[in-house]
């Protein structure tokens, strides 16, 4: 897997082995960051359910100032730390071994973008949206959620700003309603 854009374009990202990892494809990452455009420059982002960290690494490569990486697997975080060190961007990053659904509001302070690629067919995207819509979460950034193409957003607290389907994966851009 390689970084698809920015100052690290073409550099390798080593993905941890195992069946629990489904890294975002190059095509999907390119599409996500094409939609985000120049808004990534100077942004502070989180990559939840980060796995290989490809989304957060892509954000940093394209001009984000900071990335918080969260994954429940220590093995994934160890692999990601090596990638960040090899790419020279560890100084712009924080890594947390924790369940992304246990993220606290304080961790999202000053973040404008949350990139989330939870495992499919487990309802984790819906649970993440429910968490972000709790009154204690006074976060009003953009949630970029990767999901299966047949996922349906049935809540009212957030609005879908954009949704794209790419074969057996899809991505939605959501924002909490004011």
């Amino acid at each position: 897997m390689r970084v698809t854009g920015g100052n690290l374009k073409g550099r390798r990202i080593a993905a941890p082995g195992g069946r629990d990892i489904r890294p975002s494809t190059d095509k999907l990452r390119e599409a996500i960051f094409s939609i985000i455009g120049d808004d990534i420059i100077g942004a502070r982002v989180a990559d939840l359910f980060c796995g290989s960290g490809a989304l957060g690494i892509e954000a940093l490569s394209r001009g984000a100032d900071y990335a918080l990486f969260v994954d429940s697997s220590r093995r994934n975080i160890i692999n990601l730390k090596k990638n960040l060190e090899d790419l020279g961007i560890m100084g712009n990053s924080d890594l947390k071994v924790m369940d992304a659904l246990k993220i606290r509001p304080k961790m999202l302070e000053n973040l404008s973008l949350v990139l989330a690629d939870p495992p499919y067919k487990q309802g984790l995207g819906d649970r993440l949206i429910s968490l972000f819509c709790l009154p204690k979460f006074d976060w009003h950034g953009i949630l970029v959620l990767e999901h299966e193409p047949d996922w349906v957003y049935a809540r009212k607290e957030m609005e879908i700003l954009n949704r794209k389907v790419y074969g057996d994966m899809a991505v939605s851009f959501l924002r909490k309603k004011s």
Side-chain angles (χ1 to χ4, degrees):
M1 184 170 34
R2 296 188 183 275
V3 179
T4 64
N7 63 344
L8 299 172
K9 183 177 181 175
R11 298 277 306 269
R12 278 190 148 315
I13 303 170
R19 295 181 350 189
D20 59 332
I21 297 291
R22 179 193 34 78
S24 303
T25 65
D26 290 358
K27 180 180 177 179
L28 188 61
R29 280 185 282 122
E30 285 183 53
I32 287 169
F33 288 97
S34 175
I35 292 168
I36 294 169
D38 289 341
D39 290 339
I40 198 63
I41 298 170
R44 296 176 58 84
V45 307
D47 184 351
L48 305 183
F49 307 95
C50 68
S52 68
L55 289 171
I57 290 170
E58 195 75 46
L60 290 168
S61 177
R62 291 172 183 255
D65 284 347
Y66 168 82
L68 168 65
F69 295 90
V70 177
D71 199 277
S72 61
S73 166
R74 182 168 305 283
R75 181 177 53 95
N76 290 350
I77 293 295
I78 290 168
N79 179 78
L80 174 57
K81 183 176 185 213
K82 181 171 179 353
N83 279 330
L84 295 172
E85 288 169 345
D86 290 349
L87 294 169
I89 54 175
M90 186 65 206
N92 303 62
S93 309
D94 282 318
L95 293 84
K96 302 282 186 201
V97 178
M98 66 180 284
D99 180 346
L101 295 175
K102 294 192 186 304
I103 196 160
R104 299 290 171 243
K106 186 153 185 70
M107 296 172 80
L108 297 180
E109 282 181 2
N110 303 315
L111 299 182
S112 57
L113 186 68
V114 171
L115 305 158
D117 183 13
Y120 289 179
K121 303 288 187 192
Q122 297 179 29
L124 298 176
D126 287 321
R127 290 177 57 200
L128 186 65
I129 290 170
S130 294
L131 178 68
F132 283 9
C133 290
L134 290 173
K136 69 181 179 181
F137 272 88
D138 188 27
W139 180 74
H140 296 279
I142 304 294
L143 170 62
V144 179
L145 179 65
E146 283 190 45
H147 53 82
E148 57 274 9
D150 60 349
W151 177 75
V152 176
Y153 177 65
R155 300 179 59 94
K156 294 182 170 55
E157 295 92 342
M158 286 190 152
E159 62 181 324
I160 294 180
L161 305 172
N162 200 334
R163 178 184 167 110
K164 300 285 183 188
V165 176
Y166 301 94
D168 62 350
M169 30 183 114
V171 63
S172 292
F173 292 72
L174 301 108
R175 179 177 53 209
K176 194 186 292 188
K177 292 181 179 175
S178 300

